[in-house]
Amino acid sequence: MPTESGDKQTIQKSSLIRLCDSWMEAVAQGLTCDRNEKRSRFIMLFLTALFLTLLIIPSPQFLSVQYREGDIATSDIRATQDYLIEDLLLTEKKRAEAEGAAPYVYTLAANGNIELVRRFDDAMDVVDDPTLHGEARRKAAVAVLGVDVSGQELAALSRVKQQRAFLSDLARQLAPLYRQRIVADRGHFAADLRHGIVVVDDATRQDVAGGDYSSSIDLPAARRIFSQATLTQGAAPHDLEILKGVALRMIAPNLSFDRNGTDQKKSEARAAVRPVLFKMKRGEMIVRVGERVTSEQAMKLEKIFKTKNSTPVLTGLGIFGLILVLCYAPFRFGRKNIRKFNPTNKDILLLSLLTVANFAVLKLVSAVSTALGGLFPSIDTASYFYLFPFAASAIIVRIILNSEVALVYCAITAPLTGIMLNNSLQVVVYALLGGIVGAHGVRQCKERGTIYSAGFKVSAVNMALAVCFHVYNDSPLSLQPLYCIIFAFLGGLINAVYVSGTIPLIEALFQYTTDVKLLELANLNSPLLRELMIRAPGTYHHSVLVGNMVEAGAEAINANPLLARVAAYYHDVGKLKKPQYFIENIRDGENRHDKLSPSMSALILISHMKDGVELAKEHRIGQPIIEIIRQSHGTSLINYFYLKAKGLETPGSPPVEERDFRYPGPKPQTREAGLVLLADCVEAASRTLTDPTPARIQGLVQKIINNIFIDGQLDECELTLKNLHEIAKSFNQILAGIYHQRIDYPEPAYKEKTIAKKPEDIDSEPPKADTGREDAAAKGGAEDLRRLGMS
């Protein structure tokens, strides 16, 4: 006993060690696969970001080209942002007007008469100076008086006896003249006065407030008036007349034009005029390819060139980084928060290629729309973007993958589209809403017409956005809104045409299976199903029944009925390789498994899954159906041959391993795969019922589902206990319809030559009631459901 116990412990330890080694190996392989998968995804992300950067970069602004007036533009150039540009011509005109309107400056010598009298006083002091004689004295007097004097006049000046009286009389005669303001030329002054003048004090340079200058007199008039005056004091009348002539020559304007002051006023007025600016809107076409650059265009291009501070490399790096962030952040959010968002590397490759191709198409149509702007100048170039197929890629993603991936895809591509098309927020909104509505429109795309129906929905949203944009921008009433609405309607149809032509290509290149493809595969006259009907009619009939069952079950639990039904049609297609080894195809009563060992029989049964996958790949059935073929039996046990092998086991022979009689799996990973497994087992077991009453069918269905559940075959799919309850109800309805009771005909449909009954005619007799068995089945079924929590 101790020895046997030690041997058992040793065996258990070795089994545990093997199990741990297997588990560690599986974990290592899983980590390696995860690392390779992440590396592949990062490589695809960087390559996609690189290609998108090259497509998004506004190429004309990367070229360090400065155009001058008269040059020929080598490309179309648009404003990439709003610019404020000085209108040099208008600014210069405004400054010239301000300069011309500046007032003229005049200086006022308010004490001009006093200054003249003072010079006479100084001259008399010079004449009385005993040190000066002859010519020296005359020159000194001339310097003081400011006018040339003769000897006679100098002598008259020396003979003035009463200087104070003379000077007072002279000042009294000059005062009225200087109060009137004496100007050099009355005509010029009148013109300047009409234009506007500013009078400043000659001594203080301060503005002289007020004053009526309309009564000013010119110098000839002043001298004429003074010549009529009479000096009476301080000297002899003859000498006074001579000195009056000197004073007449000394009279000068006391209101004089100030050239320097006027120039300063003009400079101040010119400097006060602010530059005249006009706004160049983002997206505005500045110059088209092949055009001769005008002076105004050269000015705009120079402004753009000077404003652009960043280098092309830095701009490219900025766009590249922005693309990385926009791609990674929503993708990460979807993986962590959206249950159905789980794209594979193949899906990500499709999304990357689709995005790059879509942006290349948008770049191309943008260039075409620019060319159309030259052909149709009445249509604003910005109106053409309503025609662009912004929603096409999102619709394709929804048809190929699912709505969750399409939503995240829209969130990533819409901002990038707006950045590429001149940083337009309107394009972002237009692309985002169009993509969401288009993806929603094809949520149940079971025919090509659904795509066009979605295109009309996109058209409706596009037209609504076009109207809103024009109202928001406060655009004037013109033909432009009408053009935009028409283009928006056509844009939805263009999206539908684009998608219709692209979907078959993607299905062929990437081997995706869409609902439209599933409808084609659901045709029972397809080559593979037709061959199955001819070579394995029993399997074909079984598959059709399973298809009906899984379709009803899928509708009950909101799974994909079309995928489930088509997968059920093909789940046993591998039996084409050896149809006579499967009981439903045996016609002559000979069972070939009677000549084979149980293990060999199990291998033949298991091999039909591998054969089915190969046939599905050969006929391009599609990856989702291939996966369901692999998972259609899970890791379930081939119980009949396992028990037969256990019965043939002899002492001393190697023990029969249960794993040798189990399907390799994997277990069902989706609800559709779980439905196919359940329906396959239930339909096969239903054929064994000798009296298929509704109660017996219900008991059988519940028992089979319980056994599969207990065996753990549904552990990895998303079927809940509530789902199993709904599936059981749908299976009961289908099987009850198939095995419904029939009435006995009053006479046989044909006459037999012999009266003896054949074994196969026994089923034609009405079945005898077996109430006890029915009650037992119903009771057993109810107990099973209670264990599952379904009743």
Side-chain angles (χ1 to χ4, degrees), residues 511 521 528 570 573 609-627 629-630:
Q511 294 300 305
L521 294 173
L528 195 56
Y570 291 90
V573 75
M609 289 179 57
K610 180 181 178 183
D611 296 336
V613 171
E614 292 176 354
L615 285 172
K617 288 181 178 179
E618 180 182 345
H619 287 78
R620 299 179 178 272
I621 299 301
Q623 193 61 32
I625 297 177
I626 292 174
E627 293 299 326
I629 292 175
R630 285 197 181 100

Side-chain angles (χ1 to χ4, degrees), residues 473-495:
N473 292 327
D474 197 18
S475 300
L477 294 177
S478 63
L479 288 177
Q480 293 302 323
L482 180 61
Y483 290 140
C484 293
I485 293 173
I486 295 174
F487 290 164
F489 175 77
L490 295 177
L493 301 182
I494 291 174
N495 280 289

Side-chain angles (χ1 to χ4, degrees), residues 45 73 101 189 300 713 763:
L45 174 62
F189 179 75
K300 293 179 180 180
Q713 299 302 314
D763 290 340

Side-chain angles (χ1 to χ4, degrees), residues 140-391:
V142 169
V144 172
L145 293 173
V147 293
D148 192 16
V149 293
S150 62
Q152 183 184 4
E153 291 170 340
L154 192 61
L157 187 61
S158 64
R159 288 194 294 269
V160 175
K161 300 303 181 179
Q162 297 176 356
Q163 295 181 0
R164 295 301 172 192
F166 170 75
L167 294 176
S168 298
D169 190 19
L170 179 61
R172 185 173 58 255
Q173 297 295 333
L174 291 173
L177 296 177
Y178 277 91
R179 279 197 298 271
Q180 284 186 276
R181 274 84 175 191
I182 303 171
V183 296
D185 188 334
R186 175 62 186 171
H188 286 97
F189 179 75
D192 292 348
L193 188 62
R194 287 191 298 270
H195 173 80
I197 63 172
V198 173
V199 180
V200 299
D201 187 86
D202 188 25
T204 62
R205 304 304 298 176
Q206 298 296 322
D207 291 351
V208 177
D212 182 14
Y213 302 100
S214 61
S215 60
S216 302
I217 59 175
D218 56 8
L219 185 59
R223 287 177 178 176
R224 187 171 57 254
I225 293 172
F226 184 74
S227 65
Q228 296 175 0
T230 303
L231 296 176
T232 59
Q233 298 181 11
H238 176 69
D239 290 337
L240 289 174
E241 193 65 27
I242 295 173
L243 293 178
K244 177 184 173 181
V246 175
L248 191 64
R249 296 199 305 272
M250 291 177 62
I251 294 174
N254 69 334
L255 188 59
S256 306
F257 179 74
D258 187 352
R259 173 63 61 183
N260 293 332
T262 301
D263 291 342
Q264 184 178 356
K265 284 292 183 181
K266 289 184 177 181
S267 299
E268 291 175 355
R270 184 183 182 87
V273 176
R274 302 182 64 180
V276 179
L277 304 176
F278 67 90
K279 190 172 185 179
M280 184 166 57
K281 298 288 289 183
R282 179 178 57 196
E284 178 182 339
M285 179 63 70
I286 300 174
V287 63
R288 299 186 186 277
V289 59
E291 286 185 353
R292 188 177 296 276
V293 178
T294 63
S295 59
E296 182 180 356
Q297 291 171 334
M299 177 181 63
K300 293 179 180 180
L301 294 174
E302 183 180 3
K303 176 65 176 180
I304 294 176
F305 184 83
K306 290 181 178 179
T307 304
K308 191 170 182 62
N309 297 322
S310 59
T311 63
V313 175
L314 292 178
T315 303
L317 288 176
I319 295 176
F320 181 79
L322 180 62
I323 294 172
L324 289 179
V325 173
L326 274 175
C327 291
Y328 180 78
F331 179 84
R332 186 70 175 172
F333 175 84
R335 287 294 302 272
K336 295 296 183 181
N337 298 280
I338 303 176
R339 180 171 55 88
K340 291 185 178 181
F341 185 86
N342 188 26
T344 62
N345 279 358
K346 176 185 175 182
D347 299 336
I348 295 176
L349 176 61
L350 170 66
L351 294 174
S352 299
L353 296 177
L354 181 63
T355 304
V356 173
N358 187 58
F359 273 77
V361 170
L362 292 178
K363 192 81 170 181
L364 176 62
V365 295
S366 178
V368 172
S369 67
T370 301
L372 290 176
L375 295 176
F376 305 100
S378 61
I379 302 177
D380 189 359
T381 307
S383 301
Y384 287 106
F385 84 81
Y386 290 99
L387 288 169
F388 293 2
F390 295 119

